[in-house]
């Protein structure tokens, strides 16, 4: 009896630990880097990590919705760029206020997402192909619209402050966390609520878990998939706002490769590539793991090419640990 | 010289939630055709899959050629000389017939696959079978019957001592079946032991030497075919314990037509299917596998398109293009394959139950009222006495019977008026079957209209107020419960080409 209850305890204990694994990994990274370098755990460096997570975090949030519904989105990087370009065109070329620039970016992201969703659900293109097409379309459009050269936001628009200013710093002096970071956390909160508390979130899980069963339950798959991809695109559009603000410009050639970091963040955070599983908190932690790693390795003067190798190994071990976790919880 | 090829004793096999086999025995002699019969879910296929190394026993012993053996995987079974033709086709459709037959043991010539030898060897096997088929033809281009013949050719290619056929004739035409029997007789003469699983009573007399009957995972008896009548075998299969009751027919039967289907057609699968469903009625759909019953249900539900045909609900014509339209008209479809089509296995029970009504349970902006969802699913769980530790239990961790109840519960929560049950008791144990039966009766008594597709004749006869019989995509019979006997249903179910009931369908 006694032995029985202690094994029971051990099992639930192990389960909790494994669930917190991604978070634990992040803590360990912090401890290791802090011990290795006095420059790592400083306010300015931590803020640097937060800032560098913001864009990837937003893209990862977007892609999380889509992966949970059983799809994939390769276009998040270049759609982010297209959103940034549309914001720049609105603000600089058309001379409209910043708010319209933000709107233009968010609408662009949402629209591209909706188109992806329609291609996948209505035209039945495989998500990989549909979004690969969108990757190129968005990339090409960015280059066409900007005529291959970056568009800089005029300083007087204050566009830069959207991400790099600090509302928090003016309220609490000395606590200069940039707005971009707050926007990411705010978006994560909203995304988490959408995913766990609204119909669209439930249906993302249901479709990702068993699309045919969901269809036979009377769900309009075309409608809901389009909506899920559109919501994902909305967060990508916000990502476009942030990157344009960080660089104070729209760089049309940027964006390739961002999609892989976003997918990696989601996967490290426990989102299952076969759909039906995942959450936003995990994804955000995953994004932090990637940027912490990059930042720490750079501080330790590890050459950039080796940083890439390490990131790859981290992704592989994260997914393998997740497989072990599932095996353990199945027994 | 011992002539016993296979001896299985005290075989136990459990699946999560179901005891599939309990203390079963079976023996096979050299040069005999031993038929294995029983209702769906009796455990025939499970027993044979154990012999073929696909499943592992939980208890009992297997003796092969006098030695006690364990068969850990299909490959071992094949090298030992046990080969199985499966009920469901396991071919790779992008490969040719020859490539399928020699998969995993391709003849090679200096590290390259020797396609010529492979094709020639295949040709030889086809010739032995009197089968006119090109070995280089892709499987995807063949009819299902031809694919079945390729499966058989594959099993033959192992030169096995024991050949297991799991309902091979389901997809075959009469001519092909006759050819199959000729091959079986030839193999038998050569001393091969043949195990033949079938649902078709008429085939038993034609091909088998001995018959073993299983029922609900238990061994019933082994008899000599020549000394036993088909009726005795049916009695052994069905038993007299659980199927005694007759349908609960209300005293006054409603004449109100809830659903009317007119001339539903699609290609070769559905031909002019017409029928009516009354309020509060349980309408049984009987027929052999492939008769078009599931296709009819899916067409009505909008899951598959149709070429032509009309559907009326309460007298009004409706256009159902996709399942969401059907659900909007309060039609529910409970698929025969609940894991594939009925449940989101990785989601919890609560989410599965309220899935069709989430939109109703949400406020503006799509905010889900979780408490309502909880209350509703709690009520369903209590009402159907679904056995689960909590509402957060994932669907995949429930037993088959409880999973089926969750699917039923989903449509109760939706409050559908027309419920189409496709094989509602497939793969669930006897106790859970009883609960599903009383649930169906209760629903009918409440005024819900039910279509029940079932391949188990006793189930059809026990439950249905009226029976529609289908054969090859046509409605061939419409029987009232008083006329719905096994003999009658089988007569209509084998009425090929819309007429001329086969004589052999009548139990002798």
């Amino acid at each position: 009896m006694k032995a029985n209850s202690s094994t029971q305890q051990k099992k639930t204990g192990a389960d909790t630990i494994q669930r917190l694994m991604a978070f634990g990994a992040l803590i360990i990274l912090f401890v290791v880097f802090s011990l290795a370098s006095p420059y790592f755990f400083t306010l300015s460096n931590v803020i640097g990590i937060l800032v560098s997570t913001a864009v990837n975090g937003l893209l990862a949030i977007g892609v999380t919705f889509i992966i949970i519904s059983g799809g994939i989105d390769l276009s998040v990087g270049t759609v982010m760029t297209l959103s940034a370009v549309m914001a720049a065109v609105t603000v600089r070329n058309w001379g409209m206020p910043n708010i319209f620039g933000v709107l233009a970016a968010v609408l662009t992201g949402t629209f591209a997402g909706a188109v992806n969703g329609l291609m996948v659900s209505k035209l039945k293109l495989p998500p990989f192909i549909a979004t690969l097409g969108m990757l190129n379309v968005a990339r090409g459009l960015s280059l066409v619209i900007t005529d291959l050269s970056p568009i800089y936001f005029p300083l007087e628009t204050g566009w830069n402050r959207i991400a790099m200013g600090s509302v928090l710093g003016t309220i609490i002096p000395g606590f200069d966390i940039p707005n971009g970071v707050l926007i990411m956390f705010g978006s994560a909160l909203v995304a988490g609520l959408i995913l766990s508390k609204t119909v669209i979130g439930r249906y993302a899980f249901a479709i990702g878990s068993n699309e045919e069963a969901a269809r036979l339950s009377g769900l309009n798959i075309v409608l809901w998939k389009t909506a899920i991809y559109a919501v994902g695109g909305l967060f990508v559009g916000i990502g476009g706002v942030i990157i344009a603000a960080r660089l104070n410009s729209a760089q049309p050639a940027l964006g390739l490769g961002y999609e892989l970091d976003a997918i990696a963040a989601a996967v490290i955070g426990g989102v299952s590539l076969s759909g039906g599983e995942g959450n936003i908190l995990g994804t955000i932690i995953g994004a932090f793991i990637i940027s912490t790693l990059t930042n720490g390795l750079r501080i330790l003067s590890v050459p950039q090419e080796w940083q890439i190798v390490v990131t790859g190994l981290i992704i592989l071990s994260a997914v393998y640990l997740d497989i072990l976790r599932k095996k353990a919880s199945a027994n | 010289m011992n002539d016993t090829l296979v001896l299985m004793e005290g075989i136990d096999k459990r699946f999560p939630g179901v005891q599939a086999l309990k203390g079963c025995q079976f023996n096979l002699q050299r040069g005999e055709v031993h038929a294995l019969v029983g209702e769906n879910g009796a455990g025939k296929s499970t027993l044979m899959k154990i012999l073929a190394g696909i499943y592992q026993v939980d208890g009992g012993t297997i003796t092969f050629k006098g030695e006690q053996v364990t068969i850990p995987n299909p490959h071992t079974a094949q090298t030992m000389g046990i080969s199985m033709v499966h009920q469901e086709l396991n071919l790779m459709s992008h490969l040719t017939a020859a490539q399928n037959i020699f998969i995993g043991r391709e003849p090679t010539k200096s590290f390259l696959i020797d396609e010529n030898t492979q094709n020639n060897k295949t040709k030889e096997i086809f010739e032995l079978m009197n089968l006119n088929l090109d070995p280089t033809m892709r499987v995807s281009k063949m009819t299902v019957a031809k694919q079945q013949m390729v499966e058989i050719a594959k099993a033959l290619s192992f030169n096995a001592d024991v050949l297991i056929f799991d309902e091979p004739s389901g997809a075959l035409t009469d001519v092909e079946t006759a050819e199959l029997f000729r091959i079986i007789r030839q193999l038998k003469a050569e001393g091969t032991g043949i195990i033949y699983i079938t649902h078709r009573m008429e085939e038993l007399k034609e091909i088998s030497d001995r018959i073993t009957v299983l029922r609900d995972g238990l061994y019933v008896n082994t008899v000599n075919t020549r000394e036993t009548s088909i009726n005795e075998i049916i009695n052994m299969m069905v038993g007299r314990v659980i199927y005694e009751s007759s349908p609960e027919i209300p005293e006054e039967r409603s004449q109100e037509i809830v659903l009317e289907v007119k001339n539903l057609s699609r290609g070769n699968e559905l031909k002019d299917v017409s029928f009516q469903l009354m309020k509060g009625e349980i309408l049984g759909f009987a027929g052999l596998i492939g008769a078009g019953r599931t296709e009819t249900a899916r067409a009505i539900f909008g899951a598959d398109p149709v070429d032509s045909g009309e559907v009326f609900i309460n007298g009004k014509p409706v256009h159902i293009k996709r399942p969401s339209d059907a659900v909007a008209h309060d039609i529910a479809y409970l698929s025969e394959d609940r894991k594939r089509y009925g449940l989101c296995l990785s989601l919890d029970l609560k989410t599965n139950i309220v899935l069709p009504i989430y939109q109703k349970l949400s406020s503006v902006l799509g905010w889900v009222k979780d408490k309502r969802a909880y209350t509703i699913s709690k009520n369903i769980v209590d009402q159907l006495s679904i056995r689960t530790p909590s509402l957060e239990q994932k669907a995949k961790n429930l037993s088959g019977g409880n999973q089926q109840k969750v699917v039923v519960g989903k449509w109760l929560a939706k409050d559908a008026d027309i419920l189409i049950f496709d094989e509602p008791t497939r793969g669930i144990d006897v106790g859970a079957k009883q609960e599903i039966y009383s649930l169906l009766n209760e629903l009918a008594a409440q005024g819900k209209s039910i279509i029940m597709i079932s391949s188990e004749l006793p189930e059809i006869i026990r439950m249905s107020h009226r029976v529609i019989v289908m054969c090859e995509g046509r409605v061939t019979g419409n029987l009232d419960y008083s006329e719905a006997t096994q003999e009658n249903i089988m007569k209509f179910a084998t009425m090929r080409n819309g007429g001329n009931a086969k004589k052999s369908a009548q139990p002798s």
Side-chain angles (χ1 to χ4, degrees):
Chain A
M1 185 65 217
K2 202 181 169 189
N4 200 354
S5 72
S6 85
T7 46
Q8 188 74 30
Q9 258 172 12
K10 219 185 247 169
K11 202 180 165 192
T12 40
D15 208 43
T16 324
I17 289 168
Q18 276 157 337
R19 214 170 285 165
L20 293 171
M21 210 152 48
F23 191 64
L26 184 59
I27 304 273
I28 290 169
L29 278 180
F30 256 84
V31 170
V32 169
F33 284 132
S34 303
L35 294 176
S37 163
Y39 305 108
F40 181 78
F41 201 65
T42 59
L43 185 62
S44 65
N45 191 51
V46 171
I47 286 180
I49 292 173
L50 289 172
V51 170
S52 64
T53 310
V55 170
N56 186 33
L58 281 160
L59 299 192
I61 291 170
V63 93
T64 296
F65 278 89
I66 290 150
I67 298 178
I68 285 176
S69 77
I72 191 78
D73 191 347
L74 299 180
S75 71
V76 292
T78 58
V79 167
M80 168 197 79
T81 302
L82 183 63
S83 302
V85 167
M86 291 314 290
V89 167
T90 311
V91 172
R92 199 199 67 178
N93 298 14
W94 300 342
M96 291 169 87
N98 283 353
I99 182 71
F100 287 98
V102 172
L103 248 132
V106 171
L107 285 179
T108 305
T110 311
F111 179 73
V115 172
N116 278 334
L118 279 174
M119 287 196 288
V120 170
S121 60
K122 186 91 188 163
L123 307 184
K124 308 244 182 322
L125 294 178
F128 192 97
I129 303 299
T131 59
L132 183 64
M134 179 58 80
L135 177 154
N136 284 302
V137 169
R139 183 169 144 80
L141 281 179
S142 298
L143 295 169
V144 170
I145 292 168
T146 56
D147 205 8
L148 306 180
S149 50
I151 306 178
Y152 289 91
F153 289 88
L155 225 66
E156 64 272 17
T157 60
W159 179 266
N160 179 264
R161 287 203 302 276
I162 293 176
M164 302 313 285
S166 177
V167 175
L168 206 61
T170 57
I171 301 169
I172 315 165
F175 213 66
D176 293 325
I177 293 181
N179 295 339
V181 176
L182 298 184
I183 290 172
M184 181 196 68
F185 281 122
S187 300
L189 196 68
V190 173
L193 288 177
I194 293 176
L195 203 52
S196 62
K197 294 286 177 199
T198 69
V199 172
I200 202 171
R202 290 302 152 83
Y203 286 175
F205 281 103
I207 293 171
S209 174
N210 187 343
E211 180 169 341
E212 189 59 16
R215 186 172 84 101
L216 293 177
S217 296
L219 269 57
N220 185 335
I221 300 289
V222 172
L223 172 78
W224 289 109
K225 263 199 182 170
T226 307
I228 290 161
Y229 276 81
V231 169
L234 183 142
F235 290 103
V236 173
I238 299 175
V241 173
I242 304 294
I243 193 131
R246 264 186 64 191
L247 305 173
N248 199 37
S249 62
Q251 303 283 342
L254 203 74
L256 270 189
Y258 280 56
E259 67 282 348
L260 298 181
D261 274 349
I263 293 167
V267 168
I268 291 174
V271 179
S272 161
L273 277 180
S274 45
E277 246 178 281
N279 63 72
I280 296 291
L281 179 64
T283 295
I284 291 294
I285 291 173
F288 271 114
I289 286 178
I290 290 178
S291 47
T292 304
L293 202 67
T294 315
N295 176 288
L297 293 174
R298 195 169 53 224
I299 285 185
L300 297 181
S301 312
V302 175
Q304 202 185 352
E305 45 280 20
W306 280 104
Q307 294 175 23
I308 301 170
V309 174
V310 173
T311 313
L313 294 176
I314 292 284
I315 294 169
L316 294 177
S317 27
V319 176
Y320 182 62
L321 284 174
D322 195 48
I323 290 170
L324 289 184
R325 180 184 67 82
K326 274 181 201 148
K327 245 190 213 160
S329 69
N331 286 336
Chain B
M1 182 72 204
N2 192 343
D3 270 352
T4 302
L5 270 173
V6 177
L7 184 62
M8 301 173 86
E9 285 173 309
I11 303 292
D12 283 329
K13 178 68 193 170
R14 278 178 296 276
F15 293 115
V18 191
Q19 176 95 34
L21 294 173
K22 212 189 230 164
C24 277
Q25 50 169 296
F26 184 80
N27 73 76
L28 180 70
Q29 309 291 322
R30 256 180 220 287
E32 77 160 337
V33 177
H34 194 147
L36 191 55
V37 299
E39 291 183 282
N40 286 341
K44 300 163 297 200
S45 294
T46 308
L47 187 64
M48 287 305 114
K49 282 180 178 172
I50 286 171
L51 186 57
I54 296 164
Y55 295 147
Q56 301 307 305
V57 289
D58 293 324
T61 57
I62 304 171
T63 315
F64 182 64
K65 292 184 182 168
E67 276 172 54
Q68 192 169 327
V69 290
T70 52
I71 308 172
N73 54 51
H75 183 73
T76 311
Q78 283 164 356
T79 36
M80 282 166 62
I82 301 172
S83 187
M84 181 161 177
V85 180
H86 291 278
Q87 189 175 2
E88 62 276 10
L89 297 167
N90 287 318
L91 298 172
M92 283 138 282
S93 55
H94 291 87
L95 304 186
T96 66
Q99 285 166 350
N100 266 289
I101 288 170
F102 285 98
I103 190 89
R105 51 197 175 107
E106 293 82 356
T108 53
K109 206 158 64 183
S110 54
F111 298 111
L112 298 175
I113 293 179
D114 184 356
E115 295 273 358
N116 274 336
T117 310
Q118 189 171 293
N119 290 335
N120 290 337
K121 279 188 179 173
T122 305
K123 193 83 201 160
E124 281 168 29
I125 301 169
F126 284 171
E127 271 161 16
L128 176 88
M129 295 169 69
N130 265 347
L131 180 64
N132 183 18
L133 194 64
D134 180 3
T136 62
M137 189 179 192
R138 273 197 189 197
V139 166
S140 57
K141 293 201 173 139
M142 298 176 190
T143 61
V144 176
K146 286 280 185 326
Q147 291 181 13
Q148 181 72 69
M149 293 309 268
V150 173
E151 278 275 12
I152 293 168
K154 185 175 173 181
L156 293 179
S157 72
F158 287 98
N159 294 320
D161 294 317
V162 176
L163 256 178
I164 306 164
F165 290 93
D166 191 355
E167 299 197 40
S169 57
L172 300 183
T173 64
D174 289 351
V175 182
E176 287 156 331
T177 307
E179 200 55 49
L180 174 65
F181 285 175
R182 191 190 61 76
I183 298 164
I184 287 179
R185 288 194 191 97
Q186 189 180 325
L187 290 167
K188 177 177 137 178
E190 290 164 10
T192 311
I194 313 256
I195 304 168
Y196 194 89
I197 302 179
T198 186
H199 268 305
R200 296 189 174 175
M201 291 299 125
E202 72 266 22
E203 289 181 347
L204 291 179
K205 284 279 179 193
E206 203 176 332
I207 194 70
S208 74
D209 301 309
R210 287 195 298 161
I211 301 171
T212 289
V213 183
L214 299 183
R215 184 173 70 228
D216 297 325
L218 296 169
Y219 169 82
V220 178
N221 204 354
T222 301
V223 294
N224 286 325
T225 308
R226 239 180 299 160
E227 297 155 13
T228 319
S229 76
I230 295 287
N231 275 333
E232 285 173 80
I233 291 164
I234 289 178
N235 284 346
M236 280 191 266
M237 280 167 62
V238 172
R240 280 294 160 225
V241 205
I242 53 170
Y243 289 107
E244 252 171 346
S245 66
S246 50
E248 292 177 16
I249 312 286
E251 304 222 333
E252 263 186 47
R253 294 172 68 182
S254 166
Q255 291 305 312
E256 193 184 330
I257 299 169
V258 177
L259 173 77
E260 177 159 24
V261 173
K262 278 187 189 165
N263 306 324
L264 218 54
S265 293
R266 181 181 60 231
N268 270 328
E269 294 177 309
L270 298 174
K271 295 166 193 160
D272 273 336
V273 174
S274 305
F275 67 93
Q276 298 172 334
L277 174 67
M278 312 293 175
K279 189 174 166 63
E281 179 179 53
I282 299 179
L283 181 64
F285 261 66
L288 299 173
I289 289 163
R293 297 166 300 159
T294 296
E295 288 77 5
T296 305
R298 286 181 60 95
I300 296 169
F301 194 63
D304 297 320
V306 288
D307 297 338
S308 61
E310 292 169 291
V311 175
F312 299 85
I313 292 174
N314 297 320
K316 288 188 205 108
V318 292
H319 295 282
I320 294 171
K321 284 197 182 132
R322 54 179 75 90
S324 52
D325 300 339
V327 173
H329 283 109
D330 285 323
I331 304 179
Y333 171 64
L334 293 86
S335 165
E336 57 187 325
D337 189 347
R338 56 186 165 266
K339 286 190 178 165
R340 228 167 107 202
Y341 299 125
L343 289 168
C344 294
L345 287 172
S346 66
L347 302 187
D348 64 22
L349 199 150
K350 183 183 72 188
T351 308
N352 271 293
I353 289 178
V354 295
L355 194 55
I357 52 166
Y358 257 125
Q359 273 159 279
K360 272 196 206 156
L361 289 180
S362 62
S363 54
V364 267
L365 293 174
W367 201 265
V368 174
K369 294 170 186 157
D370 261 327
K371 274 195 189 135
R372 289 255 345 256
Y374 187 89
T375 322
I376 290 173
S377 43
K378 181 90 182 70
N379 283 341
I380 296 283
V381 166
D382 292 343
Q383 188 188 339
L384 300 180
S385 50
I386 298 173
R387 279 174 286 278
T388 172
S390 78
L391 291 177
E392 277 76 37
Q393 179 82 340
K394 287 190 177 170
K396 66 178 162 202
N397 296 328
L398 296 173
S399 72
N402 281 311
Q403 284 182 343
Q404 181 67 313
K405 287 191 205 166
V406 172
V407 181
V408 176
K410 179 163 88 172
W411 296 112
L412 290 189
K414 174 71 182 68
D415 203 19
D417 293 329
I418 299 168
L419 295 132
I420 308 174
F421 287 83
D422 197 346
E423 305 284 1
T425 63
R426 175 170 289 177
I428 64 182
D429 59 43
V430 183
K433 269 187 189 180
Q434 293 300 318
E435 290 179 57
I436 299 280
Y437 291 154
S438 41
L439 180 71
L440 288 179
N441 283 329
E442 209 175 294
L443 290 170
Q446 285 169 15
K448 309 267 185 207
S449 311
I450 294 170
I451 292 174
M452 185 188 76
I453 300 171
S454 174
S455 296
E456 295 182 36
L457 282 185
E459 181 170 291
I460 288 273
I461 291 166
R462 177 187 169 172
M463 296 302 298
S464 310
H465 302 181
R466 209 152 52 86
V467 180
I468 299 280
V469 190
M470 290 187 73
C471 178
E472 295 181 341
R474 278 190 192 82
V475 171
T476 49
N478 180 353
L479 309 169
D480 202 61
Y481 75 98
S482 51
E483 315 162 285
T485 59
Q486 300 226 11
E487 292 78 7
N488 254 335
I489 294 174
M490 281 310 289
K491 189 179 83 190
F492 287 110
T494 50
M495 210 178 251
R496 299 220 159 90
N497 308 317
N500 297 333
K502 260 172 66 175
K503 259 190 205 153
S504 54
Q506 311 264 16
S508 51

